[in-house]
Amino acid sequence: MNTTKNAASDIVSKLWGLCNVLKDDGVTFHQYVTELTYLLFLKMAQETGTEDQLPKGYRWEDLTALSALDRLEAYRKMLVHLGSHGSMLVREIFANASSFIKKPVTLSTLITDIDKLDWYSVHREDLGDLYEGLLEKNANEKKSGAGQYFTPRVLIDCMVAVMQPQLDDTIQDPAAGTGGFLIAANHWLRTHNDIDSLTEAQQRRYRYKTFYGMEHVQDTHRLALMNLMLHGIDSSQDGGGIHYGDTLSPEGQALPKASLILTNPPFGTKKGGGLPTRDDFTYPTSNKQFAFLQHIYRALKPGGRAAVVLPDNVLFESNVGTQIRRDLMDKCNLHTILRLPTGIFYAQGVKTNVLFFTRGEKDKGNTKEVWVYDLRTNMPQFGKRTLLTSEHFEAFKSAFGRDPLGGSKSLDKRKDTGEEGRFRVFTRDRIAERGEDLNFTWLKERGDDADDGLPEPAVLAREAMTELESAFEELRGMLAELGEDLDEVDA
């Protein structure tokens, strides 16, 4: 398995290196990943034996059979045709598709280099991880601007682990991005259950009626559909999968009620400062995170649970913010807040939290107390120099306990660690006295005099390795532009 994982990683590096081919065409990193998605869909349909979803004459072999000079014009026509022909998935991925490539030689170079990659060394189940690696490369590249919708995988995995998805769950992400939360939930379910042993009806329910989402940026929606497909999640039947639309419009009301919501909604205000066009929000606001929060707790079935990434202002903003927090705690048991470290999402250092809550059977008095875990104070500034890893969340997961509803099972009774610890509990009465302010802090910042602010040697080594990898990929791109055979160079 390590061999196939290494092969997938090698292909990701080579695919990412091909973006240098497009520099002369003025193609951005994000445009490159979108363009690559079109080509990879055609190639992977051939590799996985699923070309029957593509109309004849519009497949990878048809593209490679053309002369280099004729390919670009034929490719542009192919993109338009696939937007209205083939399976539903094909039509959605290629909807309004157009190519950013201007030179025939550029397209031919991409096709030739993709065709000669060692696809046979990658197992079918690893193709999804390969594509996920490409999306992560794009998100980590500051110039791409893609990091705004890419939640760190270690955080997603932590949220999924404590929420413990079940086979009978209906799982929703109303701000789906490239589908990371749904894919992680799918991985958890497949790891903890024998999907193949389910009855035919159960397997159909799992495949088509378990995962739902919505994404309002069409290029990002394409990436999400491709990502889900490669991870074995079918979004082409029965209304499942990630839909293209705006959750804060009436389209969002069509999403089915969920028993589990996992999401990282966009931050900021609605474009132009306007209000959401939905008519079911009790507290209209142009603040996107407050609007999404209302959607989330309204979209939960009674007893349903949610884990949601939200910025600090959601915890303390007054006026409509106070009203929405009160409504949330009345309708749901807001049992846990995880204060996240800085530097894990946005370059500008927006401070964030994960809110964990369960929809009550009744609409009054559901939150009795809120537990707050501070993983921010006296933690490093994460980024390229200091990597966020799964180990950073182990103590939180242990403190959270084994009950996904945030209860206190006899073996996992939560413990208030006091003012010197990271886990505290605050009563609903105390929160009300604070005007529904949930921004609790108690730990004192520790000074850094002892180490003079110098990173650990291992941190410096990781940073150097990252820079070397980046330099190596750039060198590979330069060699490709010079017409060198990279396989011979590697040898």
Side-chain angles (χ1 to χ4, degrees):
M1 182 59 73
N2 286 338
T3 301
T4 60
K5 292 292 185 184
N6 291 337
S9 178
D10 183 55
I11 289 178
V12 168
S13 294
K14 288 179 178 177
L15 286 172
W16 190 247
L18 291 179
C19 67
N20 292 290
V21 175
L22 301 181
K23 281 185 177 178
D24 289 341
D25 265 5
V27 176
T28 67
F29 286 102
H30 188 64
Q31 288 172 333
Y32 166 65
V33 174
T34 302
E35 193 86 53
L36 198 59
T37 296
Y38 303 144
L39 294 169
L40 285 180
F41 185 91
L42 299 175
K43 177 61 177 172
M44 289 182 179
Q46 181 190 64
E47 294 294 327
T48 57
T50 56
E51 285 189 302
D52 57 337
Q53 60 189 320
L54 292 160
K56 291 182 179 180
Y58 294 86
R59 300 173 179 178
W60 181 259
E61 62 181 12
D62 300 304
L63 200 55
T64 57
L66 296 169
S67 69
L69 290 177
D70 294 333
R71 278 178 183 159
L72 183 55
E73 183 178 354
Y75 173 61
R76 287 171 175 162
K77 292 179 180 178
M78 180 180 284
L79 294 182
V80 174
H81 187 80
L82 292 176
S84 56
H85 295 78
S87 70
M88 182 183 296
L89 178 63
V90 169
R91 297 197 301 271
E92 284 190 305
I93 286 181
F94 290 90
N96 298 314
S98 61
S99 177
F100 302 104
I101 297 173
K102 302 181 182 69
K103 300 175 183 176
V105 66
T106 302
L107 177 63
S108 287
T109 300
L110 285 177
I111 290 173
T112 300
D113 286 359
I114 289 172
D115 212 26
K116 69 182 183 182
L117 289 173
D118 186 14
W119 296 102
Y120 293 103
S121 64
V122 182
H123 290 164
R124 172 66 181 87
E125 60 268 23
D126 291 323
L127 289 176
D129 292 337
L130 183 156
Y131 190 72
E132 189 86 349
L134 190 65
L135 295 178
E136 189 166 12
K137 282 270 191 186
N138 189 39
N140 290 336
E141 173 53 59
K142 290 182 180 179
K143 295 177 184 177
S144 77
Q148 62 179 312
Y149 60 80
F150 196 93
T151 308
R153 292 297 172 243
V154 291
L155 173 58
I156 289 178
D157 289 342
C158 170
M159 292 166 64
V160 169
V162 298
M163 289 288 97
Q164 300 177 36
Q166 303 297 312
L167 284 174
D168 59 353
D169 272 326
T170 299
I171 304 172
Q172 183 194 127
D173 182 351
T178 55
F181 279 104
L182 299 183
I183 286 164
N186 173 58
H187 178 72
W188 171 276
L189 286 166
R190 290 184 177 276
T191 300
H192 291 81
N193 300 276
D194 184 1
I195 303 297
D196 293 335
S197 69
L198 299 178
T199 66
E200 184 176 341
Q202 289 172 325
Q203 289 196 36
R204 184 173 182 82
R205 192 266 175 199
Y206 178 78
R207 190 173 183 185
Y208 300 124
K209 290 186 175 293
T210 298
F211 306 99
Y212 295 85
M214 189 161 281
E215 171 54 44
H216 77 291
V217 177
Q218 191 162 50
D219 279 346
T220 306
H221 180 242
R222 300 182 213 282
L223 306 185
L225 293 178
M226 179 79 163
N227 208 7
L228 263 62
M229 179 200 74
L230 292 174
H231 282 90
I233 302 175
D234 198 310
S235 60
S236 61
Q237 296 188 43
D238 294 342
I242 297 176
H243 298 269
Y244 173 51
D246 182 1
T247 301
L248 302 184
S249 76
E251 295 170 311
Q253 293 172 260
L255 286 169
K257 292 282 187 178
S259 56
L260 174 59
I261 294 180
L262 300 158
T263 190
N264 175 16
F267 304 163
T269 56
K270 191 164 175 61
K271 192 172 183 180
L275 297 174
T277 55
R278 287 175 57 158
D279 59 6
D280 62 332
F281 289 163
T282 306
Y283 307 101
T285 173
S286 62
N287 182 301
K288 280 195 270 190
Q289 51 264 34
F290 277 120
F292 267 100
L293 181 56
Q294 288 186 85
H295 164 82
I296 292 161
Y297 65 77
R298 287 174 171 275
L300 283 175
K301 298 176 181 178
R305 60 208 187 281
V308 186
V309 180
L310 292 165
D312 272 14
N313 73 294
V314 169
L315 303 182
F316 60 78
E317 195 166 293
S318 58
N319 301 319
V320 70
T322 301
Q323 295 174 308
I324 292 172
R325 284 193 301 277
R326 184 182 295 119
D327 194 41
L328 167 66
M329 288 186 283
D330 284 345
K331 289 182 169 63
C332 302
N333 176 19
L334 174 61
H335 52 80
T336 311
I337 296 174
L338 170 62
R339 285 167 49 84
L340 291 170
T342 56
I344 66 174
F345 286 111
Y346 296 86
Q348 63 265 39
V350 173
K351 295 179 179 179
T352 55
N353 313 267
V354 183
L355 274 60
F356 299 89
F357 51 88
T358 305
R359 180 74 191 230
E361 299 291 339
K362 299 178 181 179
D363 280 352
K364 291 294 179 183
N366 282 298
T367 301
K368 301 295 190 296
E369 59 186 22
V370 178
W371 289 79
V372 181
Y373 193 98
D374 186 348
L375 195 59
R376 182 184 307 166
T377 307
N378 299 321
M379 292 292 285
Q381 172 82 29
F382 288 98
K384 281 192 174 182
R385 168 166 286 183
T386 304
L387 301 178
L388 183 70
T389 68
S390 59
E391 285 74 19
H392 289 112
F393 293 101
E394 288 305 314
F396 164 72
K397 289 195 289 185
S398 177
F400 186 98
R402 285 177 283 179
D403 183 0
L405 304 182
S408 299
K409 289 186 176 179
S410 58
L411 296 177
D412 288 328
K413 190 167 181 62
R414 293 179 166 188
K415 297 178 181 178
D416 189 319
T417 56
E419 293 188 359
E420 299 300 318
R422 293 193 178 273
F423 206 28
R424 302 292 311 276
V425 62
F426 302 94
T427 65
R428 182 72 179 84
D429 288 342
R430 183 172 177 187
I431 294 167
E433 291 171 1
R434 291 164 51 94
E436 315 298 352
D437 187 332
L438 293 166
N439 191 35
F440 287 99
T441 58
W442 62 91
L443 286 172
K444 295 180 180 178
E445 291 283 356
R446 194 171 55 232
D448 294 325
D449 295 338
D451 60 5
D452 295 323
L454 291 175
E456 292 291 326
V459 173
L460 292 172
R462 278 200 302 268
E463 182 180 8
M465 287 295 293
T466 300
E467 292 176 354
L468 282 172
E469 180 185 356
S470 177
F472 182 67
E473 288 179 8
E474 186 173 348
L475 180 60
R476 289 180 68 91
M478 293 170 62
L479 289 171
E481 289 178 351
L482 294 172
E484 294 287 344
D485 188 328
L486 298 186
D487 292 330
E488 289 185 6
V489 171
D490 287 341

